[in-house]
Each structure stands twice: as structure tokens, then as C-alpha cells.
Amino acid sequence: MREKMEPEPLYNLLQLPKDVAPPTEEEGEGLPQGEKKKYLPPNSRKDPKFIELQKVLMEWINATLLPEHIVVRSLEEDMFDGLILHHLLQKLAGLQLEAEEIALTAASQRRKLQVVLGAVNQSLQLEEPQDMWSVEAIFNKDLLATLHLLVALAQRFQPNLALPPNVRVEAVTIERTKSGLKSEKSVEQLTASSTDKDQALKDVFDELFKLAPEKVGAVKEAIVSFVNQKLERLGLSVQDPDTQFADGVILLLLIGQLEGFFLHLKEFYLTPSSPAEMLHNVTLALALLKDEGLLSHPVNPEDIVNKDAKSTLRVLYSLFYKHKLKANEDKRPQGTPN
């Protein structure tokens, strides 16, 4: 019998042989005696999975904060002062923090960050202090600490976010001792390894487009028929789902019909005239679906706006699956086998 392996912890520090090149004084600049500083060598920064993790987290933050017109372009440069973390936590946890909105001086930014991280740790239900991130590390633009923090937030508030699994990077820790600078390598685990369960839950549409592309047309036809039945009372119809849902308008109206939402015209753009307005509509639609627990797989709103067929069908299928199959279940006589 194969033994069940315990999943790797989110954070794992493994000591490696001390074959690191001696640190330079420039790398240890400003480091007091007895203290340590961690940095990423160039080969770690170029790791494809490490780059992909940053991309996924940035897209998640930007989609979450889109209504507030906040855009993150660099996790290393944009997160240190607590401003974006402040808005992100308010959006995710619904908290109103007693922190100044705009902090211009280093001292006020540090104070703001301390308040925000205190609220983050409370929201994450961390009973004991942890060493994955700190006010000093985030304020000093420590990319590893920032990533640990954002991964923890994503896992707490967006558990379906498709983070790349098993992201591990090599870091170098420098310490200033009485005899000078010394360094050692370590490997940091940023995301957990994928499990057998993750493989079992592999997205059905990825499999459909990859293994049975000839069936995509039949699936699309069934979904369009269902959608048109629901939109008929509004005097609307869909012929090409790949393009007609790109601006989010029909998608929002369909969700309103099926889920019983009344959307005020002030909440979305009925005739969007720019990609930003289309993105606003689609982001709102996905947020509604997420709140109803209908999205079993994360969807990037930009993919819908860009007319990605797989993403659009995935969203429509979530509604089709709930309402069409539920209707069939309600009509089926009791005792009839599935």
C-alpha cells in the first residue's frame, strides 16, 4: 500500500552547503553587527515559476482593486508603504482601519504599515508572531517577505486562486559578525506542492479543449441555447458567445435574471465605450459569481474582455451547470436512477 505523504509546509527553510561566494561590503551596507539580511541572487529572480507567481498575484491584486483605480506594476516597489495593502485588506476583509490614508514621510509610512500588518495578522488568525514577514522586511522592499504575505492573504481570502504550485527559490542570507560578513544559502518554499486532489480537480475546460476539441462546438451550442432561453424575456439573443460577452453587459443581465440580482445602472456601464469600462463590467460579474460560489476555477476578467473562448465558456458553464441541471433534477421523478 502506498503511504499517504503529508503536504509540504508553506514555509520551509532548508540549509544548504555553504558554497556561496563571499559577500561584498556593498551587499552588507548598513547592516549592524549581529543582524542578518536576506536577498535573492539573479538566478532565483529569473526562475520561471517565481516570475509566474508574481504575475498571478499582481493580476489578482489589480482585479480586486480595479474599482478603486489602483494598479500594481511591481510587488517589490509598490507594496512597501502599506497603501495598497491597506486598500487590499479593506476590500478582502471588509475592515475599516484607523490609519492615515496618505503617508508621505518615511516615519508615517512605517506607522501606517505597522497598523496594516497588525490587522493582516489578526485577519489571518496568527496567534503567534511569525518570521515570514515583518514591518521592517516589507518596508525595506524585501520581495520574499512580500510574497509570503500576499500568498497567505490569497490563500485566506481567495482559496481558488490558481497559484503556481511548489514555488521554491534559493536565497542568500548575510550576517555581519565580529570577523566580518558571512553568508549561507537557503531554499524558501513560497507555495505548497500540488496534491492528488488538486490533480483530480483539474479544470474540465482545459481537458475539453486539449483532449476533445471536436466536442467544444456541441458544448457551446448547448450553453448558447440555455442562455437564449433565459434572455428571451429581455428581448436579447446570443449568436457568438466568444465576442458578445466581452463587454460584460449581457453577462451581468444574465446573472441578474438567473440569480435574482437587481443591478442599478450606476453600478455598471450599459454601453461601455472603452476597454476599462468593459473590464469594470466583467470584474463585477465575476465578483457576483464568486459571491454565489459558482466559480470553481479562477477566471481573469481580462481574458473575457479579450474574447478568450475557454474563459468565456467556463463562466457561462458555471451558470448552466447550476440552473440547467437543477431544473432537470427538479423535473426527474423520485426513484429514477441518475
Side-chain angles (χ1 to χ4, degrees), residues 269-299:
Y269 297 96
L270 188 59
T271 55
S273 58
S274 69
E277 293 180 354
M278 295 166 65
L279 190 60
H280 171 89
N281 286 354
V282 174
T283 301
L284 174 59
L286 295 183
L288 294 174
L289 291 176
K290 178 191 167 189
D291 289 344
E292 294 299 304
L294 294 182
L295 283 183
S296 59
H297 191 282
V299 176

Side-chain angles (χ1 to χ4, degrees), residues 50-287:
F50 184 68
I51 294 172
E52 175 66 15
L53 176 62
Q54 295 177 72
K55 179 175 178 287
V56 171
L57 289 171
M58 275 196 290
E59 288 178 348
W60 169 58
I61 294 171
N62 288 335
T64 303
L65 298 181
L66 180 67
E68 301 182 42
H69 307 290
I70 292 176
V71 178
V72 174
R73 292 184 172 85
S74 168
L75 297 179
E76 195 165 17
E77 296 295 331
D78 295 346
M79 309 298 295
F80 79 98
D81 61 359
L83 176 63
I84 292 173
L85 283 173
H86 185 185
H87 284 271
L88 184 63
L89 186 62
Q90 285 189 146
K91 193 76 173 178
L92 296 174
L95 297 176
Q96 293 298 322
L97 304 183
E98 294 296 329
E100 49 194 311
E101 180 65 26
I102 303 296
L104 299 178
T105 67
S108 60
Q109 289 172 346
R110 195 186 297 267
R111 285 195 304 270
K112 178 183 179 70
L113 182 61
Q114 188 168 9
V115 172
V116 173
L117 285 188
V120 167
N121 292 339
Q122 189 173 4
S123 296
L124 295 175
Q125 300 176 348
L126 298 177
E127 297 179 358
E128 299 180 0
Q130 45 67 51
D131 58 359
M132 288 185 287
W133 62 81
S134 65
V135 173
E136 286 301 314
I138 301 296
F139 190 74
N140 289 325
K141 303 181 182 180
D142 184 323
L143 182 56
L144 280 175
T146 302
L147 288 174
H148 279 304
L149 172 61
L150 293 175
V151 167
L153 282 171
Q155 291 179 328
R156 169 67 176 83
F157 294 103
Q158 186 84 38
N160 289 331
L161 186 64
L163 297 174
N166 200 29
V167 179
R168 299 156 58 94
V169 291
E170 184 181 272
V172 176
T173 301
I174 299 175
E175 181 180 7
R176 185 178 293 280
T177 65
K178 292 181 180 180
S179 58
L181 292 173
K182 72 173 185 177
S183 63
E184 60 183 14
K185 284 183 180 180
S186 61
V187 170
E188 295 217 15
Q189 189 89 27
L190 287 162
T191 62
S193 301
S194 58
T195 63
D196 292 340
K197 183 179 179 181
D198 295 328
Q199 294 299 321
L201 294 176
K202 186 178 288 187
D203 178 37
V204 64
F205 276 98
D206 286 338
E207 294 297 299
L208 178 66
F209 274 72
K210 180 180 178 181
L211 301 179
E214 71 281 358
K215 296 182 180 179
V216 172
V219 173
K220 186 181 296 187
E221 184 178 340
I223 291 176
V224 168
S225 175
F226 162 77
V227 167
N228 283 333
Q229 287 177 9
K230 303 304 176 184
L231 293 177
E232 186 177 10
R233 69 190 71 177
L234 298 178
L236 299 172
S237 66
V238 171
Q239 284 77 44
D240 185 359
D242 297 350
T243 61
Q244 287 183 262
F245 290 95
D247 63 6
V249 176
I250 294 180
L251 182 57
L252 283 169
L253 295 175
L254 177 64
I255 293 172
Q257 284 288 306
L258 293 172
E259 298 295 320
F261 290 128
F262 173 75
L263 294 174
H264 198 282
L265 290 178
K266 292 182 179 179
E267 296 182 34
F268 69 103
Y269 297 96
L270 188 59
T271 55
S273 58
S274 69
E277 293 180 354
M278 295 166 65
L279 190 60
H280 171 89
N281 286 354
V282 174
T283 301
L284 174 59
L286 295 183

